[in-house]
Amino acid sequence: MEAGIQPHRERPVDLPRQLSRAVREPDLIRAGQALVDNDLPTAETLLRPYLKRRPTDAPAIRMMAELAARVGRYADSENLLRRALVLAPGFAAARANLATVLYKQNKAAEAIAELERIERDGSANLGHASLKAAALGRIGGHEEALGLYRQLLDARPDEPKLWMSYGHILKTVGEQADSVAAYRRALVIQPTLGEVWWSLANLKTIRFDDSDVAAMEAALQSSDLGKEDRFHLHFALGKALEDQGQARDSFIHYAEGNRLRRAMLDYDASDHRAHVERSMSFFTPEIFEARQGQGCDAPDPIFILGMPRAGSTLVEQILSSHPAIEGTAELPDIPAIARQLDGRKVRGDASHYPECLAELTAEELRTLGEEYLERARVQRFTDRPLFIDKLPNNWAHVGMIRLILPRAKIIDARRHPLACCFSNFKQHYARGQRFSYELSEVGAYYRDYVTLMRHLDVILPGHVHRVIHEDLVDDPETEVRRLLEFLNLPFDPACLAFHQNPRAVRTASSEQVRRPISREGLEQWKAFEPWLDPLKQALGPIVADWRH
């Protein structure tokens, strides 16, 4: 969302005067009230003509940036806020907004830099500290984040969402008992806070008792319960009743949680299918032969990809226990580069990806590979030569990865489709994975993933190493040795003692990978099979032929 403002160099404005005028200007007062009421069309109708008259009004630019952020146009919001700060470098509120927008775009390091500038200017407050703690958690600065949360909780001990965020970081670093205590403290303050109930359920190793179930059911009866609290409670109750063996009632809650969440999302499964079809047409042996020797030749990255809930965190934990490999996180950088190449502004615009890769020179391919490594650097804290990027959705970009990072290693973590897809259906994700909230859509996504990976196996034979989760559980040493051989690394016994690895883990499987390998959970989906027909129909023949 643009405000009709052209970027050009200008002298700084008189910010105090503009702020003083803003509280007396009728159009800005009405636009501000419209934003408070979430009446975005009215706010836009007022702000656009105002900014045409006064294109250097920093407070109005900040309001337009907030409008853009509200509708998910974070890049536009970022551009507007940067313009406001060129005009008014001391505009702390705009800088704080910029930090928030950067954080929402997974630019955590940049967000921290803006927050630290606010600190240096003496304008920091508790809200800024809370955002900084969350951003630090994103880039692995867990100890500093924990310290910030403790300071915040000393100042605001009755803030339930602070206790929840504190619990999230404690979970990440493996302090489960303290994490549970923080979550429980949040629920004492606000028993209807659905995200906390789900956070407890998402520990996987926690079992709710009857009093917990009763408390969640009571919370669902609250007349003023928000949509997010409601769907989180349904997911948590689904987990609680599943653990009690009540499959039918559990499924009812999972289904309702998914229905509510799906209604809030803008998702079209045909977009993924179209991407797969175009990728299969574009990526041919000739494309790669013509670009032999191009790209960035760094061997550092190991990509673990595939479906979420397919055992990729286990593979990551095993490999990061090897002295040559550093585990990082699910990095957003490959999709960010793909979006940058695509260039689409809104849904419906023509996509230029992956076909645009054909237009790139050898130098441009190398530069993109180097850009990825630079983006990933913020997540690296050791001098180990190799590192893992565990973003599952990178399966859609294997062709691009091969062109820009030809020496990168790619591992496809795969699990039985019914087990994997139903595990996704049970899981509420904090962000991303929009395909997972309807059985037919998660089945279609799995089918698309396998279809593209099969094509890549044909045109890039041996380039992707497949780890079947069930085989890894049944014979871990054999599978780990095969994995390390693919990576050209010697076997190390530490890889079989992965559960002793103290590294931070930021995914839903964080507690599971801190225990030895177990067959528990491999066939949990079978209790729910009577309700999985839409999933089976979407998967089609892949249900029976999914390993290859």
Side-chain angles (χ1 to χ4, degrees):
M1 181 168 301
E2 299 173 358
I5 304 171
Q6 299 302 317
H8 54 276
R9 296 180 65 85
E10 295 173 279
R11 290 178 299 175
V13 299
D14 185 343
L15 181 62
R17 182 179 178 182
Q18 287 190 346
L19 290 170
S20 176
R21 183 176 62 203
V23 298
R24 300 191 309 272
E25 176 65 47
D27 283 351
L28 291 190
I29 293 170
R30 284 157 47 208
Q33 186 58 53
L35 286 172
V36 169
D37 297 337
N38 206 36
D39 182 0
L40 304 185
T42 296
E44 184 172 5
T45 300
L46 292 162
L47 287 168
R48 280 191 178 279
Y50 182 88
L51 280 166
K52 284 183 179 178
R53 296 193 306 271
R54 290 178 171 157
T56 60
D57 189 302
I61 295 171
R62 178 189 173 226
M63 293 173 73
M64 183 61 88
E66 180 176 347
L67 177 59
R70 293 270 190 97
V71 296
R73 300 292 298 275
Y74 296 125
D76 290 338
S77 181
E78 177 186 344
N79 290 336
L80 286 162
L81 289 164
R82 291 193 185 282
R83 171 84 196 290
L85 289 166
V86 167
L87 294 166
F91 197 175
R95 196 169 299 281
N97 291 150
L98 175 59
T100 299
V101 167
L102 290 168
Y103 175 78
K104 288 182 177 180
Q105 295 179 91
N106 288 305
K107 299 177 180 179
E110 293 179 50
I112 291 168
E114 297 298 336
L115 292 166
E116 289 179 344
R117 178 163 178 175
I118 293 173
E119 290 173 2
R120 290 194 298 272
D121 292 344
S123 303
N125 59 34
L126 292 177
H128 302 148
S130 181
L131 178 59
K132 183 179 179 181
L136 284 164
R138 283 257 179 105
I139 63 170
H142 301 110
E143 289 307 316
E144 188 177 351
L146 285 170
L148 273 175
Y149 278 125
R150 289 177 185 126
Q151 292 176 31
L152 288 163
L153 287 165
D154 284 343
R156 295 161 59 183
D158 295 326
E159 175 51 61
K161 290 190 176 181
L162 272 181
W163 283 106
M164 178 179 71
S165 297
Y166 183 46
H168 292 343
I169 295 287
L170 288 165
K171 169 193 170 183
T172 297
V173 299
E175 300 292 339
Q176 185 182 114
D178 289 341
S179 174
V180 171
Y183 290 147
R184 292 288 186 185
R185 177 72 178 270
L187 290 172
V188 168
I189 301 167
Q190 187 177 338
T192 59
L193 193 51
E195 187 176 348
V196 177
W197 285 110
W198 169 246
S199 297
L200 284 166
N202 202 27
L203 288 169
K204 310 302 183 189
T205 54
I206 293 294
R207 296 292 183 266
F208 290 120
D209 59 26
D210 290 342
S211 66
D212 289 324
V213 172
M216 285 187 274
E217 289 174 339
L220 278 174
Q221 301 306 312
S222 300
S223 59
D224 60 346
L225 194 68
K227 290 181 180 179
E228 293 207 359
D229 287 322
R230 189 170 297 280
F231 72 68
H232 278 114
L233 281 162
H234 279 297
F235 276 105
L237 273 166
K239 171 67 163 57
L241 295 172
E242 180 183 1
D243 289 344
Q244 293 180 3
Q246 300 181 49
R248 179 181 175 279
D249 290 341
S250 170
F251 186 82
I252 288 171
H253 282 290
Y254 283 138
E256 181 62 8
N258 277 282
R259 185 189 70 79
L260 292 170
R261 185 70 181 107
R262 179 66 182 86
M264 300 168 67
L265 298 173
D266 180 16
Y267 174 75
D268 186 345
S270 66
D271 290 346
H272 281 291
R273 184 61 195 162
H275 171 75
V276 167
E277 290 173 350
R278 290 172 55 221
S279 295
M280 291 172 66
S281 296
F282 175 74
F283 290 114
T284 62
E286 291 75 23
I287 286 287
F288 296 104
E289 288 168 8
R291 288 156 183 79
Q292 191 73 28
Q294 298 181 11
C296 172
D297 67 354
D300 309 26
I302 300 169
F303 292 92
I304 303 175
L305 44 78
M307 286 288 293
R309 310 298 300 150
S312 57
T313 304
L314 175 60
V315 176
E316 177 194 39
Q317 188 79 344
I318 288 169
L319 290 181
S320 65
S321 299
H322 193 284
I325 303 174
E326 178 177 9
T328 59
E330 296 182 356
L331 307 184
D333 305 305
I334 288 295
I337 291 172
R339 285 192 298 272
Q340 171 185 312
L341 291 170
D342 191 340
R344 281 186 292 179
K345 294 289 186 182
V346 295
R347 173 170 288 170
D349 286 356
S351 173
H352 304 290
Y353 175 82
E355 293 86 355
C356 59
L357 292 166
E359 303 168 6
L360 300 182
T361 65
E363 182 179 353
E364 287 170 330
L365 290 172
R366 177 181 53 77
T367 298
L368 286 175
E370 291 171 350
E371 178 186 338
Y372 168 79
L373 294 174
E374 185 59 32
R375 284 171 175 258
R377 197 177 311 282
V378 70
Q379 298 282 354
R380 301 194 64 179
F381 299 97
T382 74
D383 59 358
R384 296 183 181 190
L386 307 176
F387 74 94
I388 296 169
D389 179 342
K390 199 194 74 66
L391 186 69
N393 314 72
N394 280 336
W395 65 264
H397 306 294
V398 170
M400 180 183 76
I401 293 170
R402 178 68 178 80
L403 291 175
I404 69 173
L405 291 160
R407 295 182 64 195
K409 297 293 188 179
I410 298 176
I411 298 164
D412 174 13
R414 190 169 298 184
R415 182 182 176 193
H416 186 288
L418 294 175
C420 183
C421 291
F422 186 62
S423 186
N424 274 278
F425 188 71
K426 295 191 302 180
Q427 182 72 38
H428 169 61
Y429 295 95
R431 61 186 181 277
Q433 320 307 2
R434 296 184 171 208
F435 64 85
S436 68
Y437 297 102
E438 188 174 298
L439 286 172
S440 61
E441 290 178 341
V442 69
Y445 188 88
Y446 188 106
R447 185 188 65 227
D448 289 342
Y449 140 69
V450 170
T451 299
L452 182 56
M453 296 308 294
R454 285 176 175 173
H455 173 75
L456 293 167
D457 283 345
V458 171
I459 65 169
L460 293 172
H463 188 67
V464 176
H465 178 82
R466 187 154 297 118
V467 176
I468 302 298
H469 180 65
E470 289 78 359
D471 293 347
L472 179 60
V473 169
D474 285 341
D475 188 358
E477 183 168 347
T478 296
E479 293 303 313
V480 169
R481 287 183 179 277
R482 288 183 63 242
L483 193 51
L484 293 174
E485 182 180 351
F486 171 72
L487 298 174
N488 298 315
L489 291 173
F491 176 76
D492 193 294
C495 293
L496 296 179
F498 63 87
H499 53 284
Q500 298 172 6
N501 187 337
R503 63 179 286 267
V505 182
R506 295 180 234 173
T507 70
S509 303
S510 59
E511 298 310 309
Q512 292 161 301
V513 299
R514 293 186 173 112
R515 297 177 293 165
I517 285 180
S518 166
R519 290 188 56 81
E520 180 185 355
L522 287 185
E523 298 184 343
Q524 286 178 337
W525 65 272
K526 289 187 174 180
F528 297 89
E529 191 166 9
W531 304 284
L532 300 186
D533 283 349
L535 172 58
K536 293 178 181 178
Q537 291 169 11
L539 287 165
I542 283 175
V543 171
D545 182 23
W546 57 275
R547 285 175 167 260
H548 308 290

